[in-house]
Amino acid sequence: MPHPTRRRALQGAAGLAVTAGTLAAAPSHESAADRHDGPTAFDEVYKGRRITGRPTDGHHHHGAGYTVLVDGAELHLMRNADGTWISVVSHYDPMASPRAAARAAVEELQGAPLVPFN
């Protein structure tokens, strides 16, 4: 087997860099279940705020059977026909999952409390 040349090593490294860049462009904060099989439950602290989400029995508001809380206050969500999610806080910025919508709301709130939507 011939020894690799500098040119072949550089071509291989370039190929790996392209592959790594493609993988890095994928949304790393979403699980495969969030994107394909429907949203799963989550509970995390994001930028100092506790966000939780869980499927609910039946249809809950417009959230298609899913509830999200930000520091214990309900974040009103709606699922779009294309499967994306929007919230009352970031209504014009569709997200891939309820978790992503909750994170976008936390960023938009910039530390302000979430006021219940009635």
Side-chain angles (χ1 to χ4, degrees):
M1 180 167 169
H3 294 287
T5 64
R6 180 182 288 176
R7 176 175 285 173
R8 284 189 181 170
L10 289 174
Q11 286 173 339
L16 286 173
V18 168
T19 301
T22 302
L23 292 175
S28 61
H29 62 275
E30 301 298 327
S31 69
D34 282 336
R35 291 191 308 270
H36 301 295
D37 300 330
T40 57
F42 64 89
D43 184 354
E44 69 181 31
V45 175
Y46 180 72
K47 295 193 175 188
R49 311 288 294 267
R50 174 153 308 275
I51 58 173
T52 59
R54 67 185 182 284
T56 57
D57 295 331
H59 186 77
H60 185 71
H61 299 292
H62 297 287
Y66 203 86
T67 297
V68 169
L69 304 174
V70 176
D71 294 333
E74 184 177 1
L75 174 65
H76 186 78
L77 287 181
M78 187 172 86
R79 189 163 196 177
N80 294 320
D82 66 357
T84 59
W85 296 79
I86 57 175
S87 77
V88 62
V89 175
S90 57
H91 195 78
Y92 297 104
D93 193 13
M95 295 291 156
S97 70
R99 179 184 298 209
R103 288 177 174 176
V106 165
E107 291 174 9
E108 187 70 26
L109 288 168
Q110 298 180 12
L114 179 63
V115 177
F117 184 76
N118 294 337

